[in-house]
Amino acid sequence: MLRWINKLDRLLSFSSPSWIWLGQWGTVLLGIHLAADRLDDHLLEALLQVPFGWPSPEFPLAAATWFAVAVELMVGAWALWTIGITRNEPAKNFAVWRARLSVRSVVAPLFWAPVAAAGSWVVAMSIEDATSQVLLEAAQPLSGLVAAVVGLRLGGSAFVRMVRQMPEPKNRLEGLWATPFVLLVAGLAAFHGLPIRGMLP
């Protein structure tokens, strides 16, 4: 039995580069979805404050919902593309890292850290909800432990990948077009997916 487990462990360790990106992307997708879910609420509230005769009473809700869906799909695709291009050897020194510097290489880690953390929080809340009736008081510590493992193993490893393994850009402004949407999602994920609101006055 131990021999079989050791073989499985070696197989997983050997093959992890081919599938670990899927877990990293999935974690950040949860954070993106959380942010988009809040985005349509904020946008709807803003549209309802505009003194404008909408074509129908349902128009502001539909507009806010579809805009949030479009942002979620676009940022999700951007995240998949970004994790896909970070296959270079890690930068071995500052000169190599500086040569790879671009808008995307700066924005990607700033996006990935809070959004992956928010995705880990979503996982934790799901586990707590699923186990609270059985584990009672133990459900919350267990969910916190799982969130920490997911955050460090998937979110943390992807963050390091964003910092160290970006390819050298064709020009420094690569990724500029997506920056407003990406940072918007990152801000919403940080504010609604992390305990930031409780620390604000």
Side-chain angles (χ1 to χ4, degrees), residues 124 126-146:
S126 299
I127 291 175
E128 184 176 354
D129 290 344
T131 61
S132 59
Q133 297 298 320
V134 178
L135 300 178
L136 303 177
E137 290 83 1
Q140 189 172 13
L142 174 64
S143 65
L145 177 62
V146 172

Side-chain angles (χ1 to χ4, degrees), residues 103-179:
V103 171
R104 182 188 286 115
S105 69
V106 173
V107 170
L110 294 176
F111 162 84
W112 215 275
V115 179
S120 302
W121 181 81
V122 172
V123 171
M125 294 302 98
S126 299
I127 291 175
E128 184 176 354
D129 290 344
T131 61
S132 59
Q133 297 298 320
V134 178
L135 300 178
L136 303 177
E137 290 83 1
Q140 189 172 13
L142 174 64
S143 65
L145 177 62
V146 172
V149 171
V150 171
L152 291 174
R153 183 65 186 93
L154 297 176
S157 61
F159 174 80
V160 171
R161 188 170 172 169
M162 297 293 128
V163 173
R164 300 186 62 201
Q165 294 180 233
M166 278 289 178
E168 188 169 342
K170 294 179 181 178
N171 68 77
R172 301 290 188 181
L173 296 180
E174 277 187 2
L176 181 62
W177 67 272
T179 297

Side-chain angles (χ1 to χ4, degrees), residues 11-160:
L11 176 63
L12 292 175
S13 299
F14 176 76
S15 64
S16 64
S18 64
W19 54 261
I20 192 69
W21 64 270
L22 189 60
Q24 293 168 333
W25 184 52
T27 302
V28 90
L29 279 181
L30 292 174
I32 292 171
H33 181 69
L34 181 148
D37 194 42
R38 300 296 183 174
L39 175 60
D40 63 359
D41 292 338
H42 290 304
L43 185 56
L44 176 60
E45 185 178 345
L47 289 176
L48 291 177
Q49 301 302 317
V50 176
F52 184 81
W54 300 111
S56 70
E58 295 81 17
F59 182 86
L61 176 59
T65 300
W66 283 109
F67 181 80
V69 169
V71 169
E72 181 175 0
L73 293 174
M74 188 272 288
V75 175
W78 177 91
L80 178 60
W81 170 260
T82 303
I83 199 73
I85 64 173
T86 52
R87 296 184 177 274
N88 290 27
E89 286 294 317
K92 296 179 179 179
N93 54 54
F94 180 72
V96 174
W97 181 83
R98 185 176 58 187
R100 299 177 181 181
L101 201 60
S102 67
V103 171
R104 182 188 286 115
S105 69
V106 173
V107 170
L110 294 176
F111 162 84
W112 215 275
V115 179
S120 302
W121 181 81
V122 172
V123 171
M125 294 302 98
S126 299
I127 291 175
E128 184 176 354
D129 290 344
T131 61
S132 59
Q133 297 298 320
V134 178
L135 300 178
L136 303 177
E137 290 83 1
Q140 189 172 13
L142 174 64
S143 65
L145 177 62
V146 172
V149 171
V150 171
L152 291 174
R153 183 65 186 93
L154 297 176
S157 61
F159 174 80
V160 171

